[in-house]
Amino acid sequence: MGVIEAIKAVVGAGAVFEGEAIEATYLSDWVVPMTDGRPLGLVKPATTVEVAAVMRVAHEAAIPVVVQGGRTGLAGGATPVDGGLVLSLERMSGVEEVDGAASTMTVLAGTPLQTVQEAASDAGLYFGLDMGARGTSQVGGMVATNAGGNRVIRFGMMRDLVLGLEVVLADGTVITALNKLIKNNAGYDVRQYFIGSEGTLGIVTRAVLKLHPEPRSVSTAFCSVASYDQVIGLLQHARAWLAGSLSAFELMWGDYYTLMTAEGGAPAPLPAGSTAYLLIEALGTDPGADPQRFDEMLEAAAGKGLIDDAAVAHSAREAAAFWQVRDSSAEFARLGWPALGYDIGIPTRDIGRFIEACRARLQAAWPGSQTAFFGHIGDSNLHLHVKTPPAIPMREVTDLVYGLVAEWHGTTSAEHGIGTLRRPYLGYTRTEAELSVMRRIKAALDPKGILNPGKILDGDPGD
Amino acid sequence: MGVIEAIKAVVGAGAVFEGEAIEATYLSDWVVPMTDGRPLGLVKPATTVEVAAVMRVAHEAAIPVVVQGGRTGLAGGATPVDGGLVLSLERMSGVEEVDGAASTMTVLAGTPLQTVQEAASDAGLYFGLDMGARGTSQVGGMVATNAGGNRVIRFGMMRDLVLGLEVVLADGTVITALNKLIKNNAGYDVRQYFIGSEGTLGIVTRAVLKLHPEPRSVSTAFCSVASYDQVIGLLQHARAWLAGSLSAFELMWGDYYTLMTAEGGAPAPLPAGSTAYLLIEALGTDPGADPQRFDEMLEAAAGKGLIDDAAVAHSAREAAAFWQVRDSSAEFARLGWPALGYDIGIPTRDIGRFIEACRARLQAAWPGSQTAFFGHIGDSNLHLHVKTPPAIPMREVTDLVYGLVAEWHGTTSAEHGIGTLRRPYLGYTRTEAELSVMRRIKAALDPKGILNPGKILDGDPGD
């Protein structure tokens, strides 16, 4: 019996697709399409037992398996490989339990983020991760990529929001570790191996998520500053005043701000011309007192010379307008910029100097090139888009940027992951010793190398 | 050249101790003394380079190595093994950097917790982990055991407070991942493999710790309730009102409270006779408003019938008196109770019913046995001491308790770890599939099995 027949016997013929029956949407993540070959088949299992059975077949036959969530990734992690199976968990969707006492939610891996957020809210609780792709991205993919988003400074990344996991290993073994305990030191913390492993070490089928109290107040301000020293001073000031309620501290450098608020873009909350702009948000639990506390924080900051100008949102609509500027990165395409964006991390203290150095080096190499810097500065996460004169090979720009990132002890990926897109550059900010540990872990958990081969690490047959 | 001579050539003869020159303190952690044999030698390296060189010698000779921090562990993790080396990092102590912008501290592994706390405070910042052994416990050991303590509900365990690590592997390879970034998704998160691995996968030599804003207000209350339903209601209420400032939610069951506040014990904040008592603490940033907010929270709780009686601390001295009741577990020895304590985790919702079931089952098995329950209830962590009639084998009591913990989907160790003391019981709450993954990871990172053999997992030569 062939592999496809064996899998049909497990999941039913209606859950297996081949050839032209595989819709195009399954052949790409958000940015990296499959360019060579075809998948052997697309499988849509309905249960963990089915996932395990499919993996036993694939493992026996040594067939590559690429698992997909909502395919909103930006690194090629979910893009199929030639001759491999694609496993979509879209049928494994649903909230199984919300436990108010433990403040947890147990969900199937194919559940969309927005469903999680709404189920938490229905129970008077809150899921602390949010991002633009909330309607499409799925819990399993968010675990596999250790997703970040806009409120990491307050609630952490996905790693900080996962208490338990159910995972299917390459050989079909099911690891059931649906822990609801905050503290569990009974041996190695097995869930950590799979979070952020981009589908290369195991297939997440269920997760226990950590919930937070639902915020009762939102305070939002938009500020301008003349120097990066002010940015750092303001960050420390806001942390000290707001501590556990500071939920966003977002930087927009002047080049980004000017571009995004130009004709046809977002409305400008403040005049252009400043060195940098900041969006500050606090989520509190005391609607009576929080807005005043937030205003006092801003006044004190102004008194210390940490802010040049500021606007406070007096309605949800005004707050949304502030966020519109920060969330305008889709504009780059409309403005004719190439898809040359970076998701780097730089130690917070040095981001201002890094920006200056990066601009200078790009100008020296390609006079007339443009940049736009923005990011989750409170998480040391900087996004950078570059527009160079035509015909500059992207690879050269990338090598310049990542070379500088390495000099500044940063990372080539803060939140988007490695996939295939950043794999050639992993060595810029990871040492050979670190890569060797990663390879040892890969070999230990997936000795045949069938799970998402060629993602993060080398080693796919096509290499 | 023998192993000891080779190591003396690396670290100097003055840093190597043999036979009677090894002080007794190095032969035990806080509770588990070495009972068989002797260590080959005690080595006190001064640098990471020296640790790496020692490991290369040990690896070549396949000699076991047990690394020690402050030896305040409660599971035998730091207890030497016969014929093995003991590596004490006490000479590798010191704070190397406090970075206010990143809110991080870089420290050597041998640095005591109290030194970390004081250095953070000197910089106007705060290290979020505290425990009784603060003067003795060291950062490396705290990373290796994923230490917890009193404020996990607010700041997390050690895993949540470590941003970067430098680690020496079994073969002497140095992994330098002194990451200061909050977000770094460039490949697998290598630091996770070593946190909580109890010295079995690598030797932590440096750490980058995450700091928080220094709290400016402390509010503390002591409450009594008549039922566990009230406990759960009060926890949800306190979370919703205080969110990011709730820093402790500590349970003392009636049996524990009566024992600890009896003649010669701690002063009683409230009359005895209630089902349970709670210590609630909030660490805020607004000294002007926080105490009132805390009082309002308590009043609202009383109005909802979630509290029977409450006392609020009006001074640091009163707060310390509240904590004295909670931190009285050293009293067990004075009161003549055997060293029969457990560090279990139970899903928060079920802790009340677990306590009743556990007492009933102990009474049925050994009529007249006494219990005392207390713990970090907001973290689903319950401590339990048992006093049975003389001559009851501890092993039988332990099997009864852990059997019940398994039925209730709990853990045999919430914060103290496995070491050797809980190794025989690991299978109660970890599946064979999980243990198999742990063994694969161990074999991948320490193929000769020389790092802390026999701790957590089986496999020491003496087994």
Side-chain angles (χ1 to χ4, degrees), chain B residues 293-359:
Chain B
R293 175 79 179 157
F294 191 78
D295 288 350
E296 286 169 7
M297 181 277 292
L298 289 172
E299 280 164 32
K304 288 160 78 178
L306 299 173
I307 300 176
D308 289 351
D309 199 358
V312 176
H314 294 102
S315 67
R317 201 177 55 79
E318 284 180 23
F322 293 175
W323 276 105
Q324 193 189 336
V325 184
R326 170 61 187 82
D327 287 340
S328 287
S329 57
E331 286 289 288
F332 285 115
R334 189 181 70 81
L335 294 166
W337 285 47
L340 202 52
Y342 301 97
D343 161 48
I344 58 183
I346 300 288
T348 304
R349 182 175 56 193
D350 303 325
I351 287 178
R353 284 182 292 158
F354 172 86
I355 289 174
E356 294 308 331
C358 189
R359 293 169 80 163

Side-chain angles (χ1 to χ4, degrees), chain B residues 46-107:
Chain B
T47 65
T48 300
V49 167
E50 288 187 3
V51 172
V54 170
M55 289 311 302
R56 281 193 295 274
V57 173
H59 194 254
E60 173 67 26
I63 302 279
V65 175
V66 177
V67 65
Q68 294 184 339
R71 291 178 301 277
T72 61
L74 301 171
T79 306
V81 302
D82 186 30
L85 293 172
V86 175
L87 220 61
S88 170
L89 301 194
E90 65 196 71
R91 292 172 67 204
M92 297 175 61
S93 176
V95 174
E96 298 192 317
E97 185 201 46
V98 177
D99 181 336
S103 207
T104 62
M105 179 188 296
T106 306
V107 290

Side-chain angles (χ1 to χ4, degrees), chain A residues 260-271:
Chain A
M260 292 306 159
T261 58
E263 188 73 29
L270 294 173

